[in-house]
Amino acid sequence: MAQGLREKHGYDQETRKATDEVIAQELDFYFVPLGIQAVKFPADFKLPAKVEDMAEVTLTNPTACVVNGFVYVKADGFAMK
């Protein structure tokens, strides 16, 4: 089930708790054949006005890395195909 755009908050190492600061926005995408992957966007990212569920998009300036077997993806935005 899609949750829409979600705020990602900072983390305070000393208190080991999340902060009120929004450091990024996160949205789930479906990548063929990989499945669902969360993609992080800048904190000020806003969804385009009309985005249909399962619409094909192109990520803007995507980057990805693998940490402990998990894939992390971030991008500056996306455009509808």
Side-chain angles (χ1 to χ4, degrees):
M1 174 185 248
Q3 298 176 5
L5 201 57
R6 300 177 303 278
E7 294 180 341
K8 298 299 288 181
H9 292 266
Y11 184 77
D12 185 330
Q13 293 287 350
E14 285 186 20
T15 63
R16 296 184 179 193
K17 293 183 180 179
T19 66
D20 291 335
E21 177 189 17
V22 176
I23 60 168
Q25 299 285 338
E26 190 174 68
L27 188 62
D28 291 333
F29 285 85
Y30 181 82
F31 291 94
V32 177
L34 303 173
I36 297 172
Q37 174 68 48
V39 177
K40 275 189 183 177
F41 295 97
D44 60 352
F45 178 78
K46 302 288 184 216
L47 278 176
K50 290 194 176 192
V51 178
E52 293 182 23
D53 194 28
M54 298 301 287
E56 277 193 60
V57 300
T58 301
L59 295 176
T60 306
N61 298 323
T63 57
C65 67
V66 177
V67 178
N68 294 327
F70 293 98
V71 177
Y72 295 92
V73 180
K74 70 177 185 174
D76 293 335
F78 67 88
M80 304 295 289
K81 281 191 170 183

